[in-house]
Amino acid sequence: MSDAAHPIVGFLTTRFPEIDFVAGPLMARPDGQEEQMCVRIAPDRLVEVMTFLRDDERCSFEQLCDLTCIDYMDFPKAKDRYGVIYSLLSITKGHRIWAKCFVNDPNPEVPSVVNVWKGADWLEREVWDMFGVRFVGHPDLRRILTWEGFEAHPLRKDYPLRGRGERENFERITRESS
Amino acid sequence: MTRAQAEVGSATYAPEEPGGDVWVLNLGPQHPATHTTLRHVLELDGERVLSCVIHIGYLHSGFEKLGEHLNYNQYVVVTDRMNYVSPMANNIAWHHACEKLFGIELTPRCTVIRTIIAELARIQDHLLGVGAAGIDLGGFTAFMYPFNARETIYDLFEEICGARFTTSYTRVGGLMQDITTDWPAKVKQYCLRELPEALDDTEKLLTRNRIFVERTKGVGYLSHDDAVRWGWTGPLARASGVRRDLRKDEPYLCYADNWDGKGSSAVQFKVAVSSGGDCYARYLVRLAEMREAIKIILQLVDNIPAGPIDVLPGDKKTLPDKSEVYFSIEGLIHHFEQIMTNRGHEPPIGESYGANETANGELGFYLASDGGNSPYRARCRPPSFINYQCFPQLVVGHQISDVIATLSSMNIIAAELDR
């Protein structure tokens, strides 16, 4: 199936002719196996496109299956640093699509999709915690897995595996000091 | 204690309604009823929950960061520690995603063994879910019957991989080792006798038990539309009437037709769906899924195909058999080629998502590969994490004891929640 022939990409380009979705499979397979189609959406049009994908009857992506991020710092041929990845699922139609939204330092910001899918709440908090990508419009963007006051974003590629000594330098409460 | 004034942070808590007697209770992080390390800050009016704020992360151990530094075979050890109630299901889900990335097709023997194990893991998880629903509501006996049956599954897993708990049984393109000769007979015996008896006993104890029904029916209700919007999957979603099961909708292993390349049809089973949406419906769905899992296993266990368990033992993608490593120089070289950090796997560059229907829902791995020996990014889509986030909506308006009932019906595993 060629990229232009993918039905969902067709609906998207018909509805938003001015956006270049750069549609392509997540991985180019030589033997034409099942393809996982991915489109690219710029941050400024993200909520609009996502709302269309949810509400349009032919797409009807009722569920945000997953929301994650990849730090493309060392990735071969990558131009942008952070790619926020939306994995959408339609339960009624039984199809999936992936969407990527690229942002860069020094101020990585993506509009929040909590108002489109409620389930994005914790997922966006996790991406903020782990990658430092801010979700504008999120009602409660706190850290979720690490603690308040932790400064780094550990899943960034420039964060070392063994940490930066947070564990060793953590304040210890002794019997005398408490 | 009922009139206690609790403190939030450093400031004394001020009730919002004048004259109202609102106080704050910390449920967890170490509390027997939370099973694992979860913390809920409940705002209470008497026994009624006014609001619930969840704090998680107590068990965060950086599994995804570790995944970027371990190779595709090593990481299976970490997946054991995710949902430790059914570690085998995580092993299979992880390598299912890897094989999707690599583009590997399994051998028929491996496909069948993995399907049987995946269903045993589902039973293992649901037995705990059902048992915990009993013990958290005070029914200790209803906990012992399923747990007794669960013990045998541990024995069965120990027989094939040597470990009861941290199984690490799968490898890229195959399994750690073949099953023993009499293992299928033991599985069959278990599925024909011991497990159905345990399920019958549990059902007799709980399903029409008046206390149990009154504590669970109408408690923790979530509608179909909300379940979809909150991203629920697995038995929780199906108990809310969402007709979705990856085994049917995106079939893999023996759930797909023509799984052996010779036109074998998929295993027959029904998807358990309930429209109840409450804790009782979740309990019923889990019970029904175990009965279906028994059917699936019995369809397969008599006809496990012969042949190798690894994809093309001669190629360089899978680890060689231990007998070759120890007794032949070629096997030893092959083994070193696989495990040395500058050799090993050569995946294609790109990204891929593979998901399995595990006992808690859709367990998926989003893998990005830069062609190196370990993944560039190993994202896990944890069902517990996504299922748990709407918990406040389920419990607000209920009483404290209903919080416990709801929590145990969701079967949240903190190790998978925090990863």
Side-chain angles (χ1 to χ4, degrees), chain B residues 277-297:
Chain B
D278 52 10
C279 297
Y280 188 65
R282 284 168 216 146
Y283 158 79
L284 289 180
V285 165
R286 288 212 170 89
L287 269 183
E289 275 186 18
M290 282 192 274
R291 303 247 184 223
E292 293 300 320
I294 295 176
K295 279 190 211 161
I296 295 175
I297 294 173

Side-chain angles (χ1 to χ4, degrees), chain A residues 26-29 33-34 36 62-76 85 87 89-91 94 96 98 100 116-123 125-126 130-131 142 144-146 154-157 159-161, chain B residues 53-57 60 64-66 68-69 100-103 226-233 242-244 246 250 348-355 362 366 368-370 376-377 379-381 385-386 388-389 393 417-419:
Chain A
L26 283 176
M27 167 142 16
R29 302 266 186 201
Q33 288 177 18
E34 172 208 355
Q36 300 177 321
E62 310 97 347
Q63 199 172 65
L64 179 70
C65 171
D66 195 8
L67 190 163
T68 184
C69 181
I70 296 184
D71 179 358
Y72 285 104
M73 194 169 82
D74 313 322
F75 202 76
I85 299 167
S87 164
L89 168 69
S90 166
I91 291 173
R96 289 176 188 266
W98 281 261
K100 280 189 194 172
V116 188
W117 295 283
K118 289 179 190 167
D121 184 354
W122 279 17
L123 293 164
R125 280 176 69 187
E126 190 190 354
M130 292 290 140
F131 290 91
R142 285 177 293 131
I144 187 163
L145 293 180
T146 58
L155 276 179
R156 286 187 178 181
K157 283 285 171 181
Y159 186 83
L161 176 65
Chain B
V53 178
I54 304 171
H55 295 270
I56 67 167
H60 178 58
E64 287 177 13
K65 187 83 178 171
L66 275 173
E68 296 168 8
H69 293 81
K100 210 162 178 178
L101 177 82
F102 283 64
D226 273 344
V228 170
R229 261 178 251 136
W230 280 107
W232 271 19
T233 49
V242 182
R243 203 177 294 267
R244 171 97 186 147
L246 285 181
E250 293 171 16
I349 297 176
E351 291 162 25
S352 133
Y353 177 77
E362 177 178 340
Y366 188 97
S369 144
D370 59 353
Y376 185 80
R377 171 98 169 89
R379 158 71 179 169
C380 165
R381 181 210 185 273
F385 184 81
I386 293 168
Y388 188 43
Q389 55 179 330
Q393 187 181 335
L417 182 76
D418 299 341
R419 285 156 290 129

Side-chain angles (χ1 to χ4, degrees), chain B residues 171-192:
Chain B
R171 296 287 183 271
V172 176
L175 300 168
M176 183 173 89
Q177 61 192 25
D178 208 342
I179 52 171
T180 53
T181 0
D182 54 349
W183 190 74
K186 286 183 185 167
V187 172
K188 193 175 178 189
Q189 178 74 9
Y190 174 68
C191 287
L192 281 177

Side-chain angles (χ1 to χ4, degrees), chain A residues 18-68:
Chain A
E18 69 283 7
I19 303 180
D20 180 15
F21 286 102
V22 204
L26 283 176
M27 167 142 16
R29 302 266 186 201
D31 47 355
Q33 288 177 18
E34 172 208 355
E35 280 182 350
Q36 300 177 321
M37 190 53 70
C38 181
V39 293
R40 188 183 296 188
I41 306 170
D44 52 340
R45 303 298 295 275
L46 185 79
V47 175
E48 195 186 338
V49 177
M50 289 298 185
T51 314
F52 168 76
L53 283 173
R54 183 194 63 183
D55 294 339
D56 186 77
E57 278 182 8
R58 299 160 301 177
C59 304
S60 57
F61 288 103
E62 310 97 347
Q63 199 172 65
L64 179 70
C65 171
D66 195 8
L67 190 163
T68 184

